[in-house]
Amino acid sequence: MTFKDVIVVGGGAAGFFAAINIAEQNPNLKVAILERSKEGLAKVKVSGGGRCNVTHAEFIPKELTQNYPRGEKELLGPFHQFMTGDTIEWFEKRGVELKIEDDGRMFPVSNSSQTIIDCFLHEAEKHRVEVLYSHIVKAINPQDQQFKIQTSQGDFITNMVLIATGSNPKIWNLLESLGHTISQPVPSLFTFNIKDERIQDIPGVVAQDVEVKVLDTNLWSEGPLLITHWGMSAPSILKLSAFGALELAKRDYKFQIEINFIRQTFNDCLEVLKTLKQDLAKKTVFKSTQFDIPKRLWHKLVLASGMDIETRWADLNKAKLENLAGQLTQAVFMVDGKSTFKEEFVTAGGVNLKEIDFKTFESKRVKNLYFAGEVINVDAITGGFNFQNAWTGAYIAAKSIAQ
């Protein structure tokens, strides 16, 4: 039986960040990380296409919280304690410089997630954090103000436990046995599967600024839209998938969306088309792309409006003008299923937020049990926000444990 003052379960982003900060703030504590796989930090490695999207350049706590479909209210206090600026400073002090991209995402200047991994491994070694790989946690039992943790490689006794296992159903089951409630996990951050003549054969086309609504709900979002081999992706779709995670799961991922490709009303669009009918009378509609829409998408929408490639603007009657305005501002698509977005699989669900003290990230049900990262029912849209939740929770829990 091995004794440690603090055991962190989970060697991912939140686990390493917590362990390092505990050991740095209180060097007298013996801190160990138990990681079930042969190496840790797997999500850090693949995040942002292998560049690691560390955080997002949003520096106002209230604005930052609006990127969390679950956790918006609860994270406001924590973000006042530790947020984006603190994350940047933490990494810079340890020799990792971050840069901001046009869309606000932040990456290491090296453009490599290995920089972040190396930083964590170096800091863990420097502060004598013991990292134990291939240790699968099988049971966590509170015993006389301590915890007994059974693993596949032996048992541990510890005073404090921090759970940072992400979306791990086995750990959620263990936490349920300790009296916690788990919000039913459903996927968040996924792309939409759509088979439709209008987007067939044009993968890679991006409409820069669209509005997307899920019909029969209040769900909507805006932003770029990417047409893929299997349907649609990019921020406008991913945002919808995150904020609609529970609702779309209920519908078994079969629903209709309405897309406004040009962010104009049907009537305003119709007026513009009437003017174009006069101004471009002799030209073909097919060849005269309008509204900054990608050419290949314009071609598809024109054909879907009941025209052919020879139809001239002068030939458009009221019905055809209305059809085109409809395709541009109210195009309805049937979604049938979802696909995982890259390797950055995010789950909505986890430890019920009412059972956590967000001043310390300690469990309200079990004393000296703490949480950080996606093990709790917090998730975010894409763009570095899930990592920021991990850093914030891990830092606040570490501070509380170290004291």
Side-chain angles (χ1 to χ4, degrees):
M1 191 91 67
T2 313
F3 174 78
K4 300 286 174 198
D5 294 293
V6 185
I7 282 189
V8 175
V9 182
F16 264 88
F17 202 73
I20 291 162
N21 281 293
I22 294 164
E24 184 174 35
Q25 289 173 40
N26 187 341
N28 298 322
L29 295 177
K30 283 186 186 159
V31 183
I33 296 173
L34 303 180
E35 165 55 36
R36 63 181 175 161
S37 60
K38 288 194 182 74
E39 52 183 307
L41 301 165
K43 254 195 183 175
V44 171
K45 201 176 183 69
V46 299
S47 150
R51 298 193 299 143
C52 190
N53 184 183
V54 177
T55 185
H56 199 96
E58 174 52 75
F59 299 94
I60 300 161
K62 184 88 184 110
E63 303 281 311
L64 184 58
T65 62
Q66 284 163 19
N67 297 287
Y68 296 84
R70 281 145 294 274
E72 179 179 348
K73 194 169 87 251
E74 291 79 4
L75 289 174
L76 185 58
F79 284 155
H80 278 285
Q81 277 197 63
F82 189 96
M83 62 173 283
T84 317
D86 306 294
T87 300
I88 297 166
E89 191 186 348
W90 192 93
F91 281 105
E92 280 186 349
K93 272 187 177 161
R94 289 155 185 81
V96 178
E97 218 177 314
L98 303 180
K99 58 171 178 174
I100 303 175
E101 306 220 324
D102 293 345
D103 58 5
R105 292 183 305 159
M106 297 193 69
F107 294 90
V109 171
S110 67
N111 268 334
S112 167
S113 55
Q114 197 57 45
T115 306
I116 304 296
I117 293 170
D118 292 345
C119 168
F120 282 164
L121 294 175
H122 172 76
E123 290 295 315
E125 193 176 347
K126 177 176 156 189
H127 296 291
R128 301 210 296 280
V129 171
E130 197 174 352
V131 188
L132 301 166
Y133 297 106
S134 306
H135 278 62
I136 298 163
V137 171
K138 300 195 161 169
I140 301 170
N141 298 309
Q143 280 183 355
D144 316 323
Q145 318 266 300
Q146 290 182 313
F147 295 88
K148 181 182 176 190
I149 298 183
Q150 290 171 282
T151 82
S152 55
Q153 306 237 28
D155 299 349
F156 295 81
I157 289 282
T158 183
N159 296 330
M160 287 178 273
V161 177
L162 185 142
I163 307 283
T165 45
S167 308
N168 180 335
K170 286 189 174 140
I171 297 294
W172 280 334
N173 291 342
L174 291 185
L175 293 171
E176 271 187 319
S177 69
L178 294 175
H180 272 288
T181 319
I182 303 299
S183 302
Q184 199 44 47
V186 296
S188 172
L189 280 196
F190 48 83
T191 60
F192 294 176
N193 294 352
I194 299 170
K195 279 193 168 61
D196 192 293
E197 189 57 42
R198 290 166 292 178
I199 58 169
Q200 216 177 328
D201 310 323
I202 55 167
V205 166
V206 177
Q208 278 307 337
D209 188 22
V210 307
E211 190 173 283
V212 191
K213 292 179 192 156
V214 178
L215 295 180
D216 306 326
T217 72
N218 300 323
L219 295 167
W220 73 279
S221 75
E222 58 196 355
L225 177 124
L226 167 70
I227 291 166
T228 66
H229 287 288
W230 59 87
M232 293 177 183
S233 183
S236 63
I237 298 295
L238 295 166
K239 237 182 273 180
L240 262 191
S241 77
F243 281 93
L246 304 178
E247 181 60 43
L248 302 180
K250 257 187 241 165
R251 291 164 186 252
D252 198 24
Y253 308 105
K254 290 176 174 52
F255 52 91
Q256 287 184 310
I257 55 173
E258 182 185 282
I259 300 178
N260 185 332
F261 286 106
I262 60 173
R263 302 290 296 275
Q264 288 187 21
T265 66
F266 174 84
N267 289 335
D268 286 351
C269 175
L270 197 53
E271 290 311 310
V272 175
L273 294 177
K274 284 175 184 169
T275 309
L276 291 169
K277 178 181 156 97
Q278 307 295 317
D279 296 351
L280 303 173
K282 291 196 169 120
K283 296 195 164 166
T284 65
V285 183
F286 189 82
K287 282 196 174 152
S288 31
T289 310
Q290 300 297 323
F291 302 105
D292 288 334
I293 278 194
K295 196 196 295 180
R296 291 194 293 160
L297 179 60
W298 173 265
H299 290 166
K300 290 281 194 179
L301 297 178
V302 167
L303 297 175
S305 310
M307 305 175 213
D308 58 37
I309 55 178
E310 301 302 333
T311 308
R312 294 177 313 157
W313 285 95
D315 306 333
L316 296 189
N317 57 17
K318 184 167 178 271
K320 284 195 172 145
L321 283 167
E322 286 178 350
N323 283 350
L324 184 53
Q327 288 295 342
L328 290 165
T329 63
Q330 303 167 342
V332 175
F333 291 86
M334 182 70 207
V335 177
D336 185 6
K338 60 174 175 54
S339 297
T340 304
F341 173 62
K342 300 190 181 155
E343 302 86 351
E344 296 174 43
F345 189 69
V346 173
T347 304
V351 177
N352 188 316
L353 302 183
K354 291 191 173 72
E355 300 169 2
I356 298 161
D357 177 351
F358 280 91
K359 289 188 178 73
T360 58
F361 282 77
E362 186 179 10
S363 161
K364 288 179 181 175
R365 296 275 158 100
V366 183
K367 197 171 160 44
N368 293 326
L369 176 67
Y370 293 79
F371 303 105
E374 275 181 56
V375 67
I376 65 176
N377 189 21
V378 168
D379 63 287
I381 62 172
T382 181
F385 301 106
N386 280 302
F387 274 142
Q388 187 54 55
N389 164 50
W391 314 139
T392 295
Y395 186 85
I396 294 171
K399 195 170 142 192
S400 183
I401 289 168
Q403 283 166 3

